[in-house]
Structures are given as structure tokens and as C-alpha cells.
Amino acid sequence: MIMLKIAKNLIGAILFVVAVAVGVYLIVDSVTYPQMKPVSTVLQTFTGEHGSPVVRSNTLLLKYNEYSCGDVELLYRGNAPQELIGLDYNRLKIKYPESQGWKVTFRDNELDITRKVNGFCGMHKEYRHLGLYEGKLAVFQGPLGYDDIVLSVVNVDLDLLPGDIRDKIFRADRYNELPTAEQEELQKTIEFPSEMAIYSVLENFDELERD
């Protein structure tokens, strides 16, 4: 009788531990993300389905150039090439390091690889805008807000310019801080889509200087 009682108590204890373990697992399984689930994590390690995806032959690859002007150019869209097949996110980050301007995004079955280009896109490379350089009127390459490349300094007295033009040129110096409405106003006046477009304006400034 004593042995039977001990056996019953032992079985009861085992069943209690098992019930508690199952209950804890079900709770964890219902409230945690897939990456935090023990069973799911093991499966992902072998299959690469969620936490650590692996590039496959049917993985959609999108490659972009992202320019300084903010424009993004799609270079390639199609299945991943052989050289990338089998690589996971960490290995892709090694192949395309952030320190060299690369950005890698891997989700579901889509891989995005973006390269940051220190320069303007084809369209904005032709843009010109007026601004100030060392207190003088200057022509800059690119749209307003990008004053890194000075193409020329205009030999004209700023005091001779019409008041509204002079005001806009001074405001262009803090273009990125202005509200959108003011930025658009400046774009219509002192930003030009080509060097040819700005040339006629500079000719008018020359006339002011001669007068």
C-alpha cells in the first residue's frame, strides 16, 4: 500500500510538472514573436524562413542607387544572381558594408540592396541655383539646398538687384530650414533646370551693373 501510494504521488507530481511546462509553452507561443519561440528558432536556423532568411534562386533582388539629391534610381529587378544564393543577412552585410555606402534590406523573399552615391542624379546634375558664397552672389550646381559645388561667383553688386530677388537669395542660404511653401517660392525664382535657363537671368544682372 505504501509503495502504491508513493507511485501515485510520483505520477501525480510528474503530471503536474508536465502540465505546467505545457501551459508555459502555450503562453509563450501565443504572446511572443516568432524569433523568441524556442521551437521556431530551431526551425529557422535550419530553414532560414524568418529570423535568418537565405537568398534563394527565386529571391527577388532589387538594386538601387540613392543620390545626394534624394532621388532613387532602380538599377536591377529580377531573380538573385548565383553569387548571392545561399547568403544570409549577416553575410550580405559583409559583402555590402555600410561603411562603403551600402544598405541591405531582406524581408520575406525580397532583397533590396541600395548604394548611396555622393553626387546628383542625371536630372539634378544639370540644375543650377543662385545663392551666396562668402557674401557674394554665386551659381551652384544642383537644386536649392545643396551648396557644395560652386560653379562661379557673379561679379555684381547685390545692392543693385531688385529687392525681392535679393531677399530670396539671402533666404536661400537657409533653404533647408524654411517651410515648404517658402521653398517652393524660391524654386520658382532662383532655381533653374539647366545652365541655359540661368544664363538669361545672369545677363539681366550684367545689365544692372552697366547701368
Side-chain angles (χ1 to χ4, degrees), residues 3-181:
M3 294 297 294
L4 182 60
K5 186 175 182 180
I6 293 174
K8 287 182 177 179
N9 290 338
L10 182 60
I11 293 173
I14 293 174
L15 290 175
F16 176 78
V17 171
V18 171
V20 170
V22 170
V24 170
Y25 175 80
L26 291 176
I27 292 173
V28 171
D29 188 72
S30 64
V31 301
T32 59
Y33 294 103
Q35 296 93 317
M36 299 174 63
K37 299 175 185 177
V39 175
S40 299
T41 301
V42 173
L43 291 175
Q44 290 161 17
T45 302
F46 288 98
T47 64
E49 289 179 355
H50 296 291
S52 180
V54 172
V55 180
R56 307 182 188 282
S57 59
N58 64 342
T59 297
L60 176 63
L61 171 63
L62 300 171
K63 294 191 74 172
Y64 301 94
N65 273 346
E66 183 178 341
Y67 296 93
S68 301
C69 53
D71 281 359
V72 178
E73 176 186 17
L74 177 63
L75 301 175
Y76 175 83
R77 177 188 174 90
N79 290 340
Q82 185 64 38
E83 64 186 56
L84 300 184
I85 294 176
L87 299 185
D88 62 8
Y89 178 72
N90 291 328
R91 292 185 180 182
L92 288 167
K93 295 266 287 183
I94 294 174
K95 184 175 179 63
Y96 300 101
E98 289 185 18
S99 60
Q100 296 181 16
W102 295 98
K103 178 183 177 183
V104 177
T105 304
F106 200 175
R107 56 184 181 277
D108 298 329
N109 200 39
E110 179 178 310
L111 172 61
D112 294 357
I113 299 176
T114 302
R115 181 172 68 105
K116 292 189 176 180
V117 179
N118 186 23
F120 297 114
C121 66
M123 179 181 71
H124 285 130
K125 188 183 295 183
E126 303 300 320
Y127 269 51
R128 303 288 185 266
H129 71 272
L130 296 174
L132 293 177
Y133 177 71
E134 296 183 350
K136 297 180 180 180
L137 180 64
V139 177
F140 294 86
Q141 182 181 29
L144 281 162
Y146 302 91
D147 296 341
D148 296 328
I149 304 176
V150 181
L151 296 179
S152 64
V153 175
V154 183
N155 186 25
V156 62
D157 187 345
L158 290 171
D159 291 334
L160 296 178
L161 298 178
D164 61 328
I165 297 295
R166 186 172 60 249
D167 174 66
K168 289 173 181 177
I169 289 172
F170 276 96
R171 278 194 289 155
D173 206 38
R174 52 189 181 86
Y175 176 83
N176 292 321
E177 303 171 12
L178 298 176
T180 302

